[in-house]
Amino acid sequence: MAGSWSTYAREQQRSLMRLRNALAISVTAAAALTGTSGAAATADESEPRGRHGHVSLSAANQPVCGDRAGADFPVNTRIHGGPAEYRPGGGPQLWYVDLTNTTAHTCRNIHPVVVLVDRDRTLKDSQAKLEFFDAVGGGGRARPVPFERTDADEHIGVFDDGFPGFVIGAGETVTVRVRLGFTADTRPNEVTLNAAVVQRRGEDGEWVGESGGYRFGIAPEVVVPQLAGPPELADTGFRFPPGLVAALLVGGGVLVAGAWRVRRR
């Protein structure tokens, strides 16, 4: 078993490497879903961090988040708060994605992108139900995240649905609330979820962050059998006379006492 899991871990690393190529496709698909053609709304400095504004500047003309030549991603990304197990058909479970801007400048048009890889390769795009909230600190609109399956059996979902993206101030952290569930027909499985972070720039995008893996299980619904009570005897209407009951109790006591004396001898 250890060998198979080490192979599985190596596949997750390959998945992250392949993600670099998949991100361009995902961002282009997100632009098509929103009906944009290279221009997207961006945030004004007066807007709360983590929210989008409505400035007429094109996203393609916005400053790049961080130094392109830098060795590290400018947005630290962390997944936390998720359960270790999901039940098919159960309610969605809440967890969080922290996005921390490590630069000295505001990062705009930020879109998380999640990648699901299941051990058995049986998961379908339609079985994973993911949504994110477009406001931080509570409230906001819950937006669906549809998945697209790649040739490598990965399921990629972009936090989009017409959302122009999060804005993260210099040195600040935005916490994105996420809900995930699985349909009742989902098979038991083991899944690893990774999050990348993209700064949309028109129909293109810059990869600016990456999380560690969030691993969880999908378990079958546990059916607890109903325990039946003791069988009831049919009421025949017959009743022992009280005197006979007393005689039986006394006689039984005499028999037990006699048997005890025989064993002692």
Side-chain angles (χ1 to χ4, degrees):
M1 188 67 177
S4 62
W5 280 117
S6 62
T7 302
Y8 182 54
R10 287 195 298 270
E11 289 179 357
Q12 308 317 306
Q13 296 298 325
R14 298 192 191 102
S15 172
L16 290 176
M17 295 302 296
R18 289 193 297 266
L19 179 60
R20 185 183 296 274
N21 296 327
L23 287 179
I25 301 174
S26 300
V27 174
T28 302
L33 288 174
T34 59
T36 60
S37 59
T42 60
D44 184 85
E45 286 293 344
S46 62
E47 288 290 320
R49 294 297 180 247
R51 300 293 298 275
H52 61 85
H54 303 282
V55 183
S56 61
L57 294 177
S58 168
N61 296 326
Q62 291 299 319
V64 175
C65 178
D67 183 5
R68 286 183 174 179
D72 298 325
F73 285 123
V75 179
N76 285 343
T77 308
R78 183 174 74 97
I79 299 173
H80 62 97
E85 189 173 84
Y86 292 80
R87 297 285 181 182
Q93 303 295 312
L94 181 67
W95 42 274
Y96 307 90
V97 180
D98 286 347
L99 306 174
T100 301
N101 181 0
T102 64
T103 74
H105 304 281
T106 298
C107 289
R108 308 175 186 276
N109 307 312
I110 300 299
H111 295 262
V113 178
V114 297
V115 181
L116 298 178
V117 180
D118 65 305
R119 179 194 60 196
D120 300 335
R121 302 298 193 266
T122 58
L123 185 65
K124 299 178 181 178
D125 289 335
S126 59
Q127 292 174 327
K129 301 298 182 182
L130 182 71
E131 58 186 5
F132 74 97
F133 290 88
D134 59 9
V136 298
R141 172 183 169 184
R143 296 177 179 267
V145 180
F147 285 97
E148 294 186 12
R149 189 167 186 164
T150 70
D151 295 338
D153 293 327
E154 300 155 344
H155 305 269
I156 296 180
V158 183
F159 285 32
D160 188 73
D161 189 46
F163 176 58
F166 292 100
V167 176
I168 314 173
E172 294 184 353
T173 297
V174 165
T175 298
V176 183
R177 293 178 297 141
V178 184
R179 290 193 300 203
L180 175 64
F182 294 89
T183 59
D185 60 339
T186 307
R187 296 181 183 179
N189 211 331
E190 293 284 343
V191 180
T192 296
L193 183 151
N194 291 282
V197 181
V198 174
Q199 182 188 35
R200 176 184 287 178
R201 300 180 60 76
E203 294 185 0
D204 200 355
E206 295 284 339
W207 190 8
V208 295
E210 176 184 287
S211 75
Y214 164 35
R215 182 172 164 183
F216 56 85
I218 300 176
E221 190 68 36
V222 177
V223 179
V224 180
Q226 297 293 328
L227 299 178
E232 296 183 1
L233 298 177
D235 188 359
T236 62
F238 178 77
R239 298 289 185 272
F240 285 103
L244 179 57
V245 172
L248 289 173
L249 291 175
V250 173
V254 172
L255 290 174
V256 171
W260 183 78
R261 287 196 295 271
V262 170
R263 286 196 295 270
R264 283 179 59 87
R265 295 190 185 124

